[in-house]
Amino acid sequence: MAGNSLSADHRKLLARAVLNARREAEAGARESLRALAVDHHEPFGHMDADARKLRNALRAHGRQLGDALDAKRGTQSVDRLAHEVAFEHWHRMLFARFLAENGLLMHPSLGASVTLEECQELARDEGKDPWDLAATFAQVSLPQIFRQDDPALRVTLPANARTALERIVGELPAEIFCASDSLGWVYQFWQADKKDEVNASGNKIGADEISPVTQLFTEDYMVDFLLDNTLGAWWAGKQLAANPHLATTATSEAELRQAVSMPGCPWNYLRFLKSDEGAWRPAAGTFDGWPKSAAAIRALDPCMG
């Protein structure tokens, strides 16, 4: 996923796909949870031991997520759990396509990458659904993202929901899955309907509303601006200190950026200011308290994930 950024057309296409996927996945998740009596006060009579065990695990997980249990009636809401089930199934299927388009979808037994076409052949031989098999491969490859013991992923979505999600993922152009910023946009688009709903309500933003309103994807130029005016400013300050003549003879910011640039790192957004005495300095400062070498710098981004 190291290609160029999404084009405007591909971004719009991805936005529509993700919005449709959330609606289909959540409707399917609610149907599956009701079929498992997760919202009901007791298991259905026809449920076997495995189904009852899964129901108990899902109810416990739902309460962890914040779904309310009515202690008197024994019923339980499934709003948060339905969202979790929907997202995890969509997320796993989407990741299978991301991995496959980048040659990273690995067969767990063979230890070799497989394509979606090869997954179709393998699934046919094993009598399985191709997308289900590909998603399983993705889950095995990324155990820290898709936990093997996650009850949400043990829920089986209805056939119509699975078919809809497979169509949505399958119809997206391969270029989308090779763009450097597409995965970030996926997470923002997933929250788009909820964000619009919260903003339109005019109500005070609480714990349930904070995520969709604030989880926004940081575009590449924003990252570059922040990086150039922190690490870039620190680097420029070192170069100007080593070459004071440059600070007084440069005629423009562009000339200074060129002078302090490195191969593959042009610091396009690095800004400079000129003092009353006529000497240039980085607009953000020179971060004199930082280590003297780049290897010694440690960073923590509180917005990551």
Side-chain angles (χ1 to χ4, degrees), residues 21 133 238 240 293 302:
L133 184 65
K238 288 167 61 69
L240 292 177
S293 68

Side-chain angles (χ1 to χ4, degrees), residues 14 37 40 42 48-49 53 61 100 110 120 131 150 156 164 167 176 214 223 226 232 247 255 264 269 281 293 295 300:
L14 181 61
H40 203 53
E42 63 181 2
D48 61 20
K53 184 177 180 180
H61 188 51
L110 301 178
Q120 288 182 332
W131 276 105
D150 187 352
T156 301
R167 175 182 52 77
I176 286 179
T214 61
V223 177
L226 294 171
E255 182 180 339
Y269 293 93
R281 61 177 176 80
S293 68
L300 171 65

Side-chain angles (χ1 to χ4, degrees), residues 18-166:
V18 175
L19 288 173
N20 289 335
R22 178 166 184 173
R23 293 162 189 158
E24 294 284 355
E26 289 197 342
R30 288 182 181 279
E31 183 178 337
S32 293
L33 293 175
R34 287 195 295 268
L36 286 166
V38 175
D39 59 336
H40 203 53
H41 67 281
E42 63 181 2
F44 297 136
H46 66 269
M47 294 173 63
D48 61 20
D50 288 340
R52 290 168 184 256
K53 184 177 180 180
L54 176 57
R55 173 185 178 272
N56 291 338
L58 288 166
R59 281 171 67 90
H61 188 51
R63 291 193 296 274
Q64 288 177 336
L65 295 172
D67 281 335
L69 170 67
D70 187 321
K72 288 186 177 180
R73 300 171 60 189
T75 57
Q76 183 170 313
S77 65
V78 293
D79 292 338
R80 291 177 176 83
L81 183 59
H83 173 260
E84 175 101 346
V85 170
F87 177 74
E88 290 301 330
H89 279 269
W90 158 254
H91 195 206
R92 185 175 61 170
M93 186 181 296
L94 191 74
F95 247 101
R97 179 93 194 267
F98 268 111
L99 292 173
E101 295 296 350
N102 289 274
L104 298 172
L105 185 62
M106 306 298 292
H107 191 294
S109 300
L110 301 178
S113 62
V114 292
T115 65
L116 291 176
E117 291 74 17
E118 289 170 332
C119 284
Q120 288 182 332
E121 295 178 13
L122 291 168
R124 185 168 55 248
D125 294 341
E126 299 177 20
K128 296 181 179 179
D129 177 82
W131 276 105
D132 210 36
L133 184 65
T136 300
F137 289 171
Q139 182 174 356
V140 173
S141 297
L142 301 167
Q144 292 180 322
I145 297 178
F146 307 109
R147 302 189 317 276
Q148 298 297 319
D149 61 346
D150 187 352
L153 288 172
R154 290 164 55 199
V155 174
T156 301
L157 295 183
N160 62 320
R162 294 200 307 272
T163 300
L165 294 181
E166 290 171 4

Side-chain angles (χ1 to χ4, degrees), residues 95-292:
F95 247 101
R97 179 93 194 267
F98 268 111
L99 292 173
E101 295 296 350
N102 289 274
L104 298 172
L105 185 62
M106 306 298 292
H107 191 294
S109 300
L110 301 178
S113 62
V114 292
T115 65
L116 291 176
E117 291 74 17
E118 289 170 332
C119 284
Q120 288 182 332
E121 295 178 13
L122 291 168
R124 185 168 55 248
D125 294 341
E126 299 177 20
K128 296 181 179 179
D129 177 82
W131 276 105
D132 210 36
L133 184 65
T136 300
F137 289 171
Q139 182 174 356
V140 173
S141 297
L142 301 167
Q144 292 180 322
I145 297 178
F146 307 109
R147 302 189 317 276
Q148 298 297 319
D149 61 346
D150 187 352
L153 288 172
R154 290 164 55 199
V155 174
T156 301
L157 295 183
N160 62 320
R162 294 200 307 272
T163 300
L165 294 181
E166 290 171 4
R167 175 182 52 77
I168 292 169
V169 175
E171 289 180 352
L172 287 171
E175 292 85 354
I176 286 179
F177 297 92
C178 297
S180 62
D181 59 344
S182 54
L183 193 56
W185 283 115
V186 164
Y187 297 130
Q188 179 167 327
F189 294 150
W190 182 263
Q191 299 280 29
D193 275 352
K194 183 64 177 178
K195 178 186 176 186
D196 291 343
E197 178 187 326
V198 171
N199 288 337
S201 71
N203 296 329
K204 183 178 179 181
I205 295 176
D208 290 340
E209 296 80 25
I210 193 70
S211 292
V213 173
T214 61
Q215 285 181 355
L216 304 177
F217 173 60
T218 307
E219 295 192 54
D220 288 350
Y221 78 89
M222 301 177 189
V223 177
D224 288 341
F225 181 88
L226 294 171
L227 182 65
D228 289 4
N229 288 283
T230 50
L231 188 62
W234 169 82
W235 174 256
K238 288 167 61 69
Q239 303 311 301
L240 292 177
N243 186 8
H245 181 68
L246 177 61
T248 56
T249 59
T251 59
S252 67
E253 289 184 85
E255 182 180 339
L256 283 165
R257 282 193 287 268
Q258 177 65 33
V260 301
S261 67
M262 297 183 292
C265 192
W267 308 120
N268 289 326
Y269 293 93
L270 178 58
R271 301 303 309 274
F272 292 88
L273 293 175
K274 184 179 285 188
S275 68
D276 294 338
E277 292 75 26
W280 291 97
R281 61 177 176 80
T286 55
F287 300 91
D288 297 329
W290 284 18
K292 299 304 180 184

